[in-house]
Amino acid sequence: NAGVTQTPKFRVLKTGQSMTLLCAQDMNHEYMYWYRQDPGMGLRLIHYSVGEGTTAKGEVPDGYNVSRLKKQNFLLGLESAAPSQTSVYFCASSYQTSGIDTQYFGPGTRLTVL
Amino acid sequence: SQQGEEDPQALSIQEGENATMNCSYKTSINNLQWYRQNSGRGLVHLILIRSNEREKHSGRLRVTLDTSKKSSSLLITASRAADTASYFCAPSGGSYIPTFGRGTSLIVHP
């Protein structure tokens, strides 16, 4: 049981380049999330998905797109990277039961945009 | 906003001491969770307390919830160096999706 995995672990981009971050979970969770974590800012929700084929905006969605074509995968895309998107990105998955949503996090992807 | 705010932002103690961190939130909740993040790692769920509960224990962790004051506290007893981490509270309301604050950075000196 791998839990939540993220690919890649590290990446350096130049301004204007594009990339896709992959999140995969093997727990059959319905819900998946993408967060970014910046020093002093805590975790901010970018986008989330409540099931295969669905996506929704979070707190800071601008500059990012997502897709959930398969239940186990949640992709985060940066079409034209900017230095402000330098951050650590975390993916999480969860299932909701009885009003409780406990999240399981991946190890993170460190992205630097030059 | 449902986001919790942890206090203090940073806490430094000696091994064996107790560590207390607090969380305040603004709107009504269904439950509140606490997570730990070791340096450079993802968050790990520690404990959950429902809105109709006042106190919960798990090993060396004790969580309290006061819905009238919209606040929660996490107590770690007999701290160890391995408890050094950031701790986040995550209240959740109607959508049940937890929201995370900025965390409390705890350093436990051996």
Side-chain angles (χ1 to χ4, degrees):
Chain A
N1 228 1
V4 180
T5 58
Q6 292 183 232
T7 309
K9 289 186 170 50
F10 303 92
R11 186 73 186 268
V12 178
L13 289 179
K14 293 182 180 178
T15 296
Q17 287 185 319
S18 63
M19 79 163 294
T20 300
L21 282 68
L22 170 64
C23 175
Q25 53 96 2
D26 61 2
M27 296 174 282
N28 202 34
H29 286 167
E30 289 292 335
Y31 289 62
M32 296 187 75
Y33 310 82
W34 275 108
Y35 294 91
R36 60 178 289 172
Q37 185 175 34
D38 303 294
M41 297 296 292
L43 267 77
R44 292 184 291 171
L45 182 63
I46 305 172
H47 286 280
Y48 65 99
S49 167
V50 300
E52 182 178 322
T54 73
T55 63
K57 294 180 180 179
E59 181 186 356
V60 288
D62 294 341
Y64 305 94
N65 57 73
V66 288
S67 65
R68 183 100 180 268
L69 299 179
K70 292 183 179 180
K71 186 177 185 178
Q72 62 267 35
N73 295 337
F74 196 28
L75 278 63
L76 178 70
L78 286 74
E79 289 187 350
S80 179
S84 61
Q85 293 178 304
T86 293
S87 188
V88 181
Y89 291 86
F90 288 99
C91 175
S93 71
S94 72
Y95 65 91
Q96 287 194 3
T97 179
S98 302
I100 296 171
D101 183 319
T102 298
Q103 301 199 355
Y104 296 79
F105 282 79
T109 294
R110 290 186 177 276
L111 175 65
T112 301
V113 183
L114 303 175
Chain B
S1 166
Q2 193 59 60
Q3 188 177 43
E5 289 187 16
E6 296 88 350
D7 175 68
Q9 290 187 5
L11 183 59
S12 180
I13 61 173
Q14 295 295 128
E15 212 167 28
E17 295 180 340
N18 295 341
T20 300
M21 48 207 90
N22 304 296
C23 170
S24 60
Y25 56 91
K26 294 182 179 177
T27 61
S28 62
I29 61 171
N30 294 301
N31 62 75
L32 186 144
Q33 302 176 61
W34 285 89
Y35 288 77
R36 182 188 73 226
Q37 183 181 34
N38 290 94
S39 181
R41 312 286 290 272
L43 278 68
V44 174
H45 179 259
L46 289 177
I47 192 167
L48 174 146
I49 187 165
R50 297 176 188 267
S51 59
N52 61 354
E53 297 175 313
R54 291 296 167 259
E55 188 170 310
K56 200 122 176 239
H57 295 256
S58 177
R60 294 185 294 114
L61 304 180
R62 173 178 167 250
V63 171
T64 62
L65 180 63
D66 186 335
T67 53
S68 67
K69 295 182 179 178
K70 293 187 171 57
S71 67
S72 173
S73 68
L74 172 67
L75 168 68
I76 304 174
T77 60
S79 295
R80 306 166 181 168
D83 294 326
T84 293
S86 292
Y87 292 82
F88 295 84
C89 71
S92 64
S95 72
Y96 307 119
I97 295 174
T99 54
F100 297 89
R102 301 184 181 190
T104 291
S105 175
L106 172 66
I107 296 176
V108 182
H109 299 279

